Amino acid sequence: MRLSVLLIGILIASPLAAAERAVMPGTGSLAAAIAGAQPGDVLTLTDGAYTGPVTIDRSLTIVGNRAAIVDGLGQGSVVTITAPDVTLKGFTVAGSGRVNQDLDAGVKIVQGADRARVENLLVTDNMHGIDVHGGRNAVIAANEIVGTRSARMNERGNGIYVWNSPGTLLEGNTIRYGRDGIFSNASADSVYRGNIMRDLRFAVHFMYTRNTEVSGNVSVGNHLGFAIMFSNRAKILNNLSLGDREHGLMLNYANNADVSGNLVRGGTKKCLFIYNAHKNLIWGNRFENCGIGIHFTAGSEKNVLTDNAFIANREQVKYVGTRNMEWSHDGRGNFWSDHPAFDLNGDGIADSFYRPNDLVDQILWSQPAASLLIGSPAVQIVRWSQRDFPATLPGGVRDSAPLMRPLTIPVPLEILGHESEAAGRWTEGNYDDTDADNLQAH
């Protein structure tokens, strides 16, 4: 009697073991397998084609090889997850609808579908790759996402779209083509790290995002690398922006960010663009070989810039404003490759301050036609007077403790190959430029 009671108690306390079910390809076979499964079951897709769209409305694990292809046949989102604790792993998802305003996607994770895991999928030929749309604590890892290549970049979808989905982890994904690699909108408390993004509009795009870390990512050959806009307390750490065409890093109405350890180089326009952004800590970065090293404008205040390196930019600083800005902190400034400095006491700090811009520079920015007079005696007299009579200088940037040596940030060999390929595209003029107009708006 006691043994029977004990066995009944064990059965009540322990759920039945999850079943593993093989699913054969065919029309409706995956939807039927989901409908017949119990929560916790594992569905294994054998190689072949499975018609979608499908909805996963219970906690399941679905696994398969890349040769197992779930095809949405151009109708809506291919796989929609509505239940918590769903895992997708290994197979291919393709063929979503093409309605951008409906956010048609390869995989969609909706509100209530918490703790979803999407791992090692090939997600291709969809409007949006993976749409995390309200589900909390999702893990999107090691996926290969290949977006669309329609003529107008703004009409494509995003590789990964995160909306109002706190706790999302995006890690180790490769994203190519489409509009933005990662678009984070109205979300918070997430980590996006170790992703590689190529041939896009923006690699990472923040709008109204809070307390989120972007670390160890690689942006190669995009229009813009990391666009942090209307966001608060972002951490932008140890990322690479290589050969991004417009800006490597942009802070636009971004406040209280920690921007450190990043390498931006080879941009045709600006390494760093700061527009109406306040109370940001920008330190330990390397900005190299861009048209402009840093463009600083629109009344940005209380930012700290220290221990950065500005190297071989055609114009190191473009400061648009009349206030005096000090770009050193606690006796340490930044390295400037065009600063002919000495360090007689050997403390690593230059003996003379660095000032990148004068009144002539400001006139040239506001009146480009004045560049015709750059070599005239009148301009030379103005520059001579400012050098010998500093009181005539306008407000602007001053680094009182320039560094004598730049920091170095290594680039892995496999990433160097991507960088060389992107540089070749820019030189040959073969890159899709049809939607650069959107960048001009920012």
Side-chain angles (χ1 to χ4, degrees):
M1 180 67 177
R2 291 180 180 178
L3 180 60
S4 299
V5 171
L6 179 61
L7 289 173
I8 292 171
I10 292 173
L11 289 173
I12 293 173
S14 304
L16 295 175
E20 296 186 10
R21 306 170 186 269
V23 184
M24 302 303 293
T27 301
S29 62
L30 178 55
I34 293 170
Q38 297 298 314
D41 284 357
V42 178
L43 305 181
T44 301
L45 307 182
T46 55
D47 294 352
Y50 298 79
T51 57
V54 296
T55 297
I56 305 174
D57 59 357
R58 60 206 70 188
S59 301
L60 300 174
T61 296
I62 302 178
V63 301
N65 299 316
R66 291 287 177 91
I69 303 170
V70 183
D71 191 339
L73 303 177
Q75 301 176 34
S77 293
V78 183
V79 178
T80 300
I81 301 174
T82 63
D85 301 304
V86 170
T87 296
L88 308 180
K89 188 178 296 185
F91 53 94
T92 296
V93 177
S96 80
R98 289 294 189 268
V99 183
N100 208 339
Q101 57 267 36
D102 290 346
L103 296 177
D104 289 344
V107 178
K108 184 182 293 289
I109 303 168
V110 303
Q111 187 173 7
D114 299 335
R115 299 176 299 280
R117 300 186 69 91
V118 180
E119 302 176 350
N120 199 33
L121 298 187
L122 171 60
V123 183
T124 185
D125 192 32
N126 302 289
M127 174 55 72
H128 297 270
I130 299 172
D131 177 18
V132 189
H133 212 83
R136 293 173 173 263
N137 301 310
V139 176
I140 313 298
N143 301 284
E144 180 182 356
I145 302 171
V146 182
T148 59
R149 303 185 67 179
S150 57
R152 293 189 60 82
M153 188 171 281
N154 282 351
E155 294 176 358
R156 306 172 190 172
N158 303 305
I160 303 175
Y161 181 24
V162 181
W163 178 83
N164 192 24
S165 299
T168 298
L169 172 62
L170 310 180
E171 185 170 28
N173 303 284
T174 61
I175 306 170
R176 192 170 190 183
Y177 307 124
R179 186 171 61 195
D180 297 343
I182 297 170
F183 181 28
S184 179
N185 186 15
S187 201
D189 306 316
S190 298
V191 176
Y192 310 151
R193 66 184 175 216
N195 305 284
I196 300 175
M197 293 154 284
R198 303 178 58 190
D199 304 307
L200 301 154
R201 185 184 68 161
F202 301 163
V204 175
H205 185 187
F206 272 22
M207 292 291 290
Y208 310 107
T209 293
R210 309 180 314 280
N211 302 323
T212 291
E213 175 183 314
V214 177
S215 60
N217 301 283
V218 179
S219 171
V220 180
N222 302 305
H223 281 283
L224 196 155
F226 302 90
I228 311 303
M229 305 171 65
F230 300 94
S231 296
N232 195 27
R233 295 189 296 276
K235 294 183 178 180
I236 314 301
L237 313 175
N238 307 315
N239 302 286
L240 303 178
S241 167
L242 307 174
D244 289 326
R245 188 170 187 177
E246 298 285 334
H247 315 326
L249 173 61
M250 177 171 69
L251 302 177
N252 184 358
Y253 289 87
N255 303 318
N256 303 296
D258 180 355
V259 181
S260 64
N262 303 285
L263 169 63
V264 179
R265 76 179 178 199
T268 57
K269 291 194 176 177
K270 303 170 187 178
C271 281
L272 172 62
F273 181 35
I274 300 177
Y275 183 93
N276 202 13
H278 311 285
K279 299 180 181 179
N280 299 293
L281 175 59
I282 303 168
W283 64 282
N285 306 283
R286 183 175 172 117
F287 304 108
E288 180 177 1
N289 196 27
C290 295
I292 297 174
I294 175 172
H295 184 181
F296 192 93
T297 188
S300 301
E301 296 182 354
K302 298 182 180 179
N303 297 285
V304 174
L305 287 95
T306 185
D307 275 287
N308 303 289
F310 294 86
I311 300 172
N313 301 295
R314 289 189 295 278
E315 185 177 348
Q316 295 279 52
V317 178
K318 181 175 181 178
Y319 170 66
V320 181
T322 58
R323 298 186 179 185
N324 292 309
M325 307 291 295
E326 175 58 52
W327 284 359
S328 63
H329 182 70
D330 287 344
R332 290 185 64 84
N334 307 274
F335 176 83
W336 307 92
S337 63
D338 60 337
H339 185 38
F342 295 94
D343 179 17
L344 297 181
N345 62 1
D347 65 353
I349 307 297
D351 296 333
S352 60
F353 67 84
Y354 175 79
R355 187 181 180 102
N357 305 132
D358 58 18
L359 180 61
V360 173
D361 293 321
Q362 295 192 356
I363 292 172
L364 292 175
W365 298 332
S366 61
Q367 304 293 331
S371 61
L372 297 173
L373 303 175
I374 195 66
S376 69
V379 170
Q380 300 309 312
I381 289 173
V382 170
R383 283 199 153 143
W384 170 82
S385 67
Q386 290 179 129
R387 184 178 65 248
D388 286 12
F389 301 98
T392 64
L393 283 164
V397 171
R398 174 184 169 117
D399 185 340
S400 297
L403 304 181
M404 292 299 297
R405 293 180 178 82
L407 80 164
T408 60
I409 298 177
V411 178
L413 286 175
E414 63 271 21
I415 303 303
L416 288 174
H418 297 329
E419 182 183 22
S420 297
E421 181 183 344
R425 280 201 310 279
W426 293 134
T427 301
E428 296 164 10
N430 292 329
Y431 196 80
D432 174 11
D433 193 29
T434 54
D435 263 313
D437 58 315
N438 185 69
L439 286 167
Q440 303 307 319
H442 300 302

